[in-house]
Amino acid sequence: MVPTHYYLVLAGILFTIGVIGVLVKRNPIVIFMCVELMLNAANLTFVALGRHFGQTNGQMYVIFALAVAAAEVSVGLGIIVMMFRRRETIDIDEVHLLKN
Amino acid sequence: MQLAPTIFFWIMAILSIGSALMVVVSKNPVRSALFLVVTFLAVAVFYVTLSAQFLAAVQIMVYAGAIMVLFLFVIMLLNLSAPEALKERGTIQRPIALGLGGLFITALIFSQALLQMPTRPAPAEQVVNLGTVQSIGLSLYNPNLPWLFPFEITSILLLIAVVGAIVLAKRKLD
Amino acid sequence: MLLSLSWLIVWFPLLGFLHNAFAGFIYKNPKAAKNAVSFVAPAVVFASFLVALVLLPAVLQSHEHRAYEGMVPFASPDVPWIKFGGFQVNFALLLDPLSLLMTLIVTGVGGLIHIYATSYMAEDKEFNRFFTYFNLFIFMMLVLVLAENFLLMFVGWEGVGTCSYLLISFWYTDVANAKAGNKAFIVNRVGDLGFALGMMAVWSVFGTLSFFNKDATGVMQLAAAHKDVMGHDLANLQLWFAPAITTMCVLLFIGAAGKSAQIPLFVWLPDAMAGPTPVSALIHAATMVTAGVVMLTRCSWLFIQSTTALQIVAWIGLATAVLGATIGLVQTDIKKVLAYSTISQLGYMFLACGVGNFRAAMFHVTTHAFFKALLFLGSGAVIHAMHGQQDMNKMGGLKTVIPKTWMLMFIGTYAIAGVFPFAGLWSKDSILDSAFRSPWGSGPILYVAGLGTAFLTAFYMNRMMWKTFYTDKRFEDGKLPNLNHSNEEHHEEEKPEGHIHEAPPTMLLPLYVLAFFSVVGGLFAFLFANDDLWKFTVATFETAKPALEEGAALPGGSIVGYVISTLVAVAGLAAAATVYKQRSQSGELLDPALKPKNPVYRILVAKWGFDAAYEFLFVRVGGNFSRSFLWRTVDGGIDSIVTNGAKLVGGISHVGRLIQTGYVRNYALGMLVGVVVIVLGLLITWQSLITR
């Protein structure tokens, strides 16, 4: 099989791309999508290592992470919808009440 | 190492990284969402190669099937197909983020830590049935293992999420 | 055991202090409070006197006439006060002839002065406060004389200094009085520094601070045996031992000089006359100022190890005696005359210590307590009669008007002059005699100078008598202005209406007692002649022993000495009488017009320039130095460090504030930075981490 560290490096790269996306994009929905990307990268790491050690533990973590991610997405999108209703814009830079 | 799985891995890796980059690079949020779906599918393929068959199916069902659909619904709802028009204010955000990200990736690729796993991976015969439904089920519902409790709690979590989402999204009662 | 109650001696005045302090709270009626205070204050002092008297036989029967008792009630003398490492001092009292003698003097004479003061201060609004301080002073003085170790004595030392300050500036609404109190305290402080340093030197050489100890490990016993408290023999280290002892003694003497008004720290005593007369009598005549002498006598075994130190003590003592006498010649304030007289007599006491005859010094302390207290209280009676007038030039002819006071002052004058058979002769002559036989030379010089000072003493005392009592009246009876001090504002509009009247019996009774002792005090000589009692002052230092024992064998020595002293005293008295009789009218020796031109007069009035020199050196020069250099450079420098530190912090935070942009993405970026740093760090050091 493919050496495990290949998967780890791949997951790391995906994770980094997700992070960059979170920092650079200004549309909150896209930011959220990049967060999902990060979550996936983490899940990939878990599965790869679970396979490496021959245990099901890795996959169990992923199942629960998946469930939580689903719940989180629904609530998060609800927040974004509310944000849009208030301001008529979803440029994340407009939400700067904490400035200075 | 055998040739075929390695080549297959590299192709899928390039595919997944490429679509992830397109998620970030696209100006159109719908395009971003669609590229993200591609990424999820690639990850599902990886799960299969890692003997996590059940998980691959779940990934496609939940992530690509439910979560991304939700995303697309919200994008449509907020009617934001138009590309982002505003110019970014003169911040140092982008360069720093890109610089750090590049640094991080470089370190990941070349770091000794990730290039050497201290133990040998489990042999293929042993893990053939690692991720089957039966195997997952035995682990999940086994009272001696710690997974039963979180399983039950997750149901409550989902309930809370549903309630929360409804409360957040409903309009005020006039 | 009777002796175990010796803590009562110290605690009675302390309880009196507490009672007087809170009298206002205890008694509802202010009049009742005042009556209670005027009973309790003298009573506690006499109670201490009685306890000391009762304990006297028991002490004399103790081993080596020395008893160690605890200061904490019903506790042993080993109750530790400070205890860490090898350092320990206890709350302990040392009862021996010296401390009991001083206790009896302090409480006896002190008690009499308390009774006098109840009458003298009767019209003062702050009566209770006065006796609070007075009792506190007695307590502190007793701690000083009864202390078993240097540190406890230092507590009493500082305590009496504090009480002196409190009592000198008792009428504090007048700024001059407050300043006098300040002067006394500050000059005292300089001396205290010497004492403290001396104490530290003692400890560093000997390793203990107790004076005497049951197992011969007290400082004095160790000094005599040339050992330290661990038993190491110090005599082997001859090279540093002698200078160390000398330094120690000189430092302790500086402390004594501050407290007992020797050159150069005497300048506070004349200013201290700003306090009420009972204060001057008790503190600045009989007790506190003798604390220095008491301390030297207590440390006599230490001092006789160093002839250098003894010489310093003797010469300074002699110089002070001469200085005091000469300045006293030109004073016009009746209390200032007595103040300079005190300085002069204290000089005599130190002269005695310096030639090794500590017994003579203590003898003089005793007789001096009697006649100086008598003189001060008598002058208080005069001032009281004259409604606050203290200037002798405005008195005169009081012999016929207040005869009882006159008689008492007469006795006091003859006592201090040293005329046979009054007390002053015996003690002063024993000093002069031992000065003549000084074990380190210069005997005749010391003797002649001492005799000359005795002449001056008699002269200025009789000058005082003549100006006050014998010359013609220089005032109008019935029209005396009220110069009495008080803490209220003066009513300037009051018409002078005072009549002269004799002092009331309460004030006169203590004076009679003191006068009696001034006359018969000479009999105490037999007490001081007893070798056995005063063994602790006798030298064990071999080379000094013969000379000291010879001089100390009989206080007073030869008949010739007595005769010479009496003649000199009589000559001084007669000289003054002759001179002032001729100037009955004016009461002045020199023509007022001539005064500013006479150089001798001007030097004496300027107090030999000490006050002027101090004022210039410390007040002006010191003040300017402080203002210009210390304030600007040192203090300003420290200030600027603090201020600039604050400014630096402000600047940093001003810059740091820019991080708070309010944009979510920027905060996320910050998080990323942190994560990257951590992970990179882990990746790089992975190798070393896993090999550990």
Side-chain angles (χ1 to χ4, degrees):
Chain A
M1 65 155 277
V2 177
T4 312
H5 59 261
Y6 278 36
Y7 286 103
L8 298 183
V9 172
L10 172 67
I13 292 173
L14 285 178
F15 184 85
T16 316
I17 293 173
V19 169
I20 293 176
V22 167
L23 295 176
V24 171
K25 303 301 283 186
R26 283 157 66 208
N27 188 332
I29 299 180
V30 178
I31 292 175
F32 213 175
M33 286 195 285
C34 296
V35 171
E36 293 306 312
L37 186 54
M38 288 158 69
L39 278 171
N40 264 272
N43 287 348
L44 184 58
T45 311
F46 271 122
V47 173
L49 285 172
R51 158 71 178 82
H52 180 89
F53 291 111
Q55 297 172 350
T56 55
N57 284 333
Q59 299 179 26
M60 302 314 296
Y61 279 123
V62 172
I63 286 182
F64 292 112
L66 212 54
V68 172
E72 163 214 353
V73 164
S74 54
V75 175
L77 288 176
I79 292 176
I80 293 177
V81 166
M82 270 183 65
M83 216 170 80
F84 178 71
R85 283 218 203 109
R86 271 192 186 272
R87 288 156 201 281
E88 302 295 326
T89 171
I90 52 168
D91 182 348
I92 198 141
D93 280 343
E94 293 299 321
V95 187
H96 59 236
L97 286 174
L98 284 175
K99 186 169 180 150
N100 286 342
Chain B
M1 281 189 310
Q2 295 122 317
L3 195 56
T6 315
I7 293 178
F8 183 68
F9 171 82
W10 278 106
I11 294 172
M12 291 312 299
I14 291 170
L15 180 63
S16 61
I17 289 177
S19 56
L21 277 173
M22 288 314 293
V23 169
V24 174
V25 161
S26 281
K27 297 238 187 320
N28 189 334
V30 175
R31 293 235 178 107
S32 290
L34 292 173
F35 277 118
L36 191 59
V37 174
V38 173
T39 315
F40 286 160
L41 294 175
V43 170
V45 170
F46 282 127
Y47 285 167
V48 172
T49 62
L50 287 170
S51 308
Q53 301 90 331
F54 175 68
L55 219 48
V58 169
Q59 161 97 348
I60 295 174
M61 277 196 294
V62 173
Y63 256 117
I67 291 178
M68 290 321 297
V69 171
L70 188 56
F71 265 109
L72 285 165
F73 264 127
V74 173
I75 292 173
M76 299 303 179
L77 180 68
L78 300 184
N79 204 5
L80 290 173
S81 335
E84 291 177 4
L86 302 152
K87 183 177 80 78
E88 183 131 344
R89 263 163 282 215
T91 61
I92 49 169
Q93 176 90 345
R94 199 180 262 185
I96 286 187
L98 291 174
L100 280 177
L103 178 66
F104 200 56
I105 291 179
T106 317
L108 276 178
I109 293 174
F110 292 107
S111 72
Q112 288 287 38
L114 293 186
L115 292 180
Q116 293 167 358
M117 292 295 288
T119 58
R120 315 210 106 259
E125 310 78 53
Q126 193 183 334
V127 297
V128 158
N129 289 321
L130 186 65
T132 56
V133 179
Q134 183 185 9
S135 165
I136 298 287
L138 282 173
S139 301
L140 197 57
Y141 296 106
N142 190 342
N144 298 329
L145 287 177
W147 306 116
L148 189 56
F149 184 66
F151 177 74
E152 303 293 342
I153 295 299
T154 307
S155 62
I156 300 182
L157 175 74
L158 291 173
L159 176 65
I160 294 171
V162 166
V163 170
I166 291 175
V167 166
L168 281 175
K170 81 176 172 170
R171 297 183 191 275
K172 284 201 200 97
L173 295 168
D174 326 43
Chain C
M1 258 274 286
L2 201 59
L3 281 174
S4 59
L5 289 176
S6 42
W7 51 270
L8 276 176
I9 302 180
V10 176
W11 276 80
F12 270 128
L14 183 63
L15 291 172
F17 157 71
L18 289 170
H19 169 271
N20 298 341
F22 294 108
F25 289 113
I26 303 174
Y27 305 95
K28 296 300 166 214
N29 186 354
K31 213 166 159 101
K34 198 165 169 177
N35 286 339
V37 167
S38 32
F39 174 72
V40 166
V44 291
V45 178
F46 281 121
S48 293
F49 180 81
L50 284 172
V51 175
L53 211 51
V54 164
L55 291 177
L56 192 56
V59 171
L60 292 177
Q61 281 160 13
S62 308
H63 174 63
E64 283 193 342
H65 307 300
R66 210 175 286 143
Y68 308 92
E69 294 302 326
M71 193 175 135
V72 179
F74 304 113
S76 80
D78 296 320
V79 174
W81 173 18
I82 300 174
K83 186 174 178 176
F84 73 88
F87 182 66
Q88 176 165 0
V89 286
N90 300 335
F91 279 121
L93 302 174
L94 177 65
L95 298 156
D96 71 351
L98 175 66
S99 54
L100 276 180
L101 169 72
M102 280 309 294
T103 306
L104 291 171
I105 293 177
V106 168
T107 49
V109 175
L112 291 172
I113 298 179
H114 270 73
I115 295 180
Y116 177 95
T118 53
S119 175
Y120 190 84
M121 305 294 293
E123 281 134 29
D124 199 299
K125 288 260 179 214
E126 312 225 349
F127 190 81
N128 296 347
R129 180 163 72 94
F130 182 82
F131 281 101
T132 312
Y133 294 155
F134 234 32
N135 271 143
L136 183 66
F137 169 81
I138 300 279
F139 166 68
M140 288 292 178
M141 189 71 202
L142 289 174
V143 168
L144 197 161
V145 300
L146 286 168
E148 178 256 5
N149 54 64
F150 272 101
L151 203 57
L152 201 55
M153 179 188 251
F154 195 50
V155 170
W157 190 269
E158 303 256 332
V160 295
T162 310
C163 291
S164 168
Y165 162 77
L166 288 170
L167 284 163
I168 292 173
S169 38
F170 184 71
W171 292 311
Y172 55 83
T173 45
D174 186 347
V175 174
N177 295 341
K179 281 194 186 163
N182 277 357
K183 189 170 179 178
F185 200 53
I186 293 172
V187 175
N188 236 233
R189 220 56 194 116
V190 175
D192 289 350
L193 178 66
F195 190 110
L197 289 174
M199 216 175 19
M200 293 180 214
V202 165
W203 187 71
S204 69
V205 169
F206 292 107
T208 176
L209 284 179
S210 296
F211 293 122
F212 287 94
N213 213 336
K214 282 190 205 107
D215 33 345
T217 52
V219 170
M220 304 304 143
Q221 294 150 318
L222 292 172
H226 289 214
K227 284 192 190 333
D228 76 354
V229 78
M230 304 302 243
H232 306 130
D233 200 5
L234 292 172
N236 291 340
L237 314 162
Q238 271 304 329
L239 270 177
W240 64 259
F241 184 67
I245 297 282
T246 308
T247 315
M248 209 183 288
C249 293
V250 168
L251 287 171
L252 289 172
F253 175 63
I254 293 177
K259 197 62 88 185
S260 299
Q262 298 299 294
I263 292 172
L265 297 169
F266 66 91
V267 291
W268 62 271
L269 192 48
D271 285 47
M273 297 300 117
T277 309
V279 171
S280 307
L282 180 62
I283 301 185
H284 307 125
T287 48
M288 188 184 94
V289 291
T290 56
V293 185
V294 171
M295 192 260 285
L296 278 200
T297 310
R298 178 56 84 210
C299 302
S300 55
W301 283 14
L302 197 60
F303 273 81
I304 50 182
Q305 305 281 337
S306 161
T307 24
T308 320
L310 286 178
Q311 284 178 293
I312 295 176
V313 171
W315 285 111
I316 291 190
L318 182 66
T320 312
V322 173
L323 177 119
T326 50
I327 303 182
L329 284 175
V330 300
Q331 295 300 312
T332 50
D333 184 326
I334 195 174
K335 282 175 72 175
K336 290 250 167 72
V337 175
L338 295 173
Y340 283 105
S341 163
T342 307
I343 295 179
S344 180
Q345 297 302 309
L346 288 169
Y348 269 115
M349 297 176 210
F350 280 99
L351 172 62
C353 290
V355 293
N357 195 349
F358 295 91
R359 285 196 267 178
M362 289 313 299
F363 189 17
H364 201 55
V365 167
T366 318
T367 54
H368 179 263
F370 294 138
F371 53 67
K372 200 37 85 51
L374 170 64
L375 284 167
F376 263 110
L377 296 184
S379 73
V382 169
I383 296 171
H384 179 88
M386 297 287 293
H387 288 268
Q389 177 63 264
Q390 290 181 246
D391 187 348
M392 290 193 294
N393 287 338
K394 301 209 170 64
M395 298 183 193
L398 292 176
K399 176 180 172 191
T400 44
V401 184
I402 40 175
K404 292 195 194 124
T405 312
W406 165 76
M407 171 54 75
L408 292 160
M409 293 291 278
F410 178 85
I411 293 175
T413 305
Y414 272 63
I416 193 174
V419 177
F420 181 91
F422 293 86
L425 169 68
W426 311 97
S427 58
K428 204 184 286 194
D429 195 70
S430 64
I431 295 178
L432 291 174
D433 193 74
S434 32
F436 189 71
R437 294 184 231 220
S438 146
W440 37 263
S442 315
I445 305 176
L446 296 171
Y447 181 73
V448 168
L451 212 52
T453 313
F455 176 83
L456 289 176
T457 306
F459 187 91
Y460 70 67
M461 286 310 296
N462 214 11
R463 165 183 178 262
M464 184 194 85
M465 290 298 288
W466 271 86
K467 278 193 173 225
T468 313
F469 292 105
Y470 298 135
T471 52
D472 298 340
K473 285 196 190 145
R474 290 185 288 283
F475 61 90
E476 269 190 62
D477 194 357
K479 289 220 185 110
L480 287 172
N482 188 347
L483 295 169
N484 276 324
H485 299 257
S486 71
N487 269 354
E488 305 170 337
E489 280 151 28
H490 285 288
H491 303 288
E492 301 289 344
E493 321 82 37
E494 238 180 65
K495 262 200 293 194
E497 274 183 354
H499 286 269
I500 301 202
H501 52 274
E502 188 77 75
T506 334
M507 275 169 66
L508 286 180
L509 181 61
L511 291 178
Y512 287 132
V513 176
L514 289 169
F516 173 73
F517 278 107
S518 300
V519 174
V520 307
L523 292 174
F524 279 109
F526 295 105
L527 188 69
F528 287 87
N530 188 336
D531 266 348
D532 194 40
L533 271 183
W534 296 95
K535 208 168 20 161
F536 73 94
T537 63
V538 168
T540 52
F541 186 52
E542 294 311 313
T543 51
K545 197 170 177 184
L548 289 176
E549 277 196 329
E550 198 183 292
L554 283 172
S558 61
I559 304 284
V560 176
Y562 287 132
V563 169
I564 297 179
S565 297
T566 310
L567 284 176
V568 165
V570 169
L573 292 169
T578 324
V579 167
Y580 286 95
K581 193 166 186 173
Q582 291 171 357
R583 320 284 171 119
S584 268
Q585 271 281 316
S586 66
E588 298 277 356
L589 170 56
L590 291 172
D591 197 341
L594 280 176
K595 272 191 189 168
K597 300 208 189 89
N598 187 329
V600 175
Y601 182 77
R602 281 166 62 202
I603 292 177
L604 294 182
V605 165
K607 303 169 218 164
W608 293 87
F610 273 94
D611 263 335
Y614 288 161
E615 208 239 307
F616 178 72
L617 261 179
F618 298 114
V619 178
R620 289 239 207 94
V621 172
N624 284 341
F625 178 66
S626 269
R627 251 187 299 277
S628 58
F629 179 66
L630 290 179
W631 178 249
R632 284 209 206 113
T633 321
V634 177
D635 199 69
I638 295 176
D639 260 351
S640 70
I641 292 176
V642 174
T643 319
N644 288 342
K647 279 194 198 156
L648 185 68
V649 172
I652 292 178
S653 60
H654 201 78
V655 170
R657 193 168 56 88
L658 298 171
I659 293 182
Q660 306 276 340
T661 57
Y663 298 126
V664 174
R665 296 190 299 146
N666 293 350
Y667 296 158
L669 180 62
M671 281 172 17
L672 174 66
V673 170
V675 168
V676 167
V677 168
I678 292 173
V679 173
L680 281 181
L682 278 177
L683 288 178
I684 291 169
T685 61
W686 181 259
Q687 277 305 110
S688 54
L689 277 179
I690 53 172
T691 49
R692 242 197 260 144

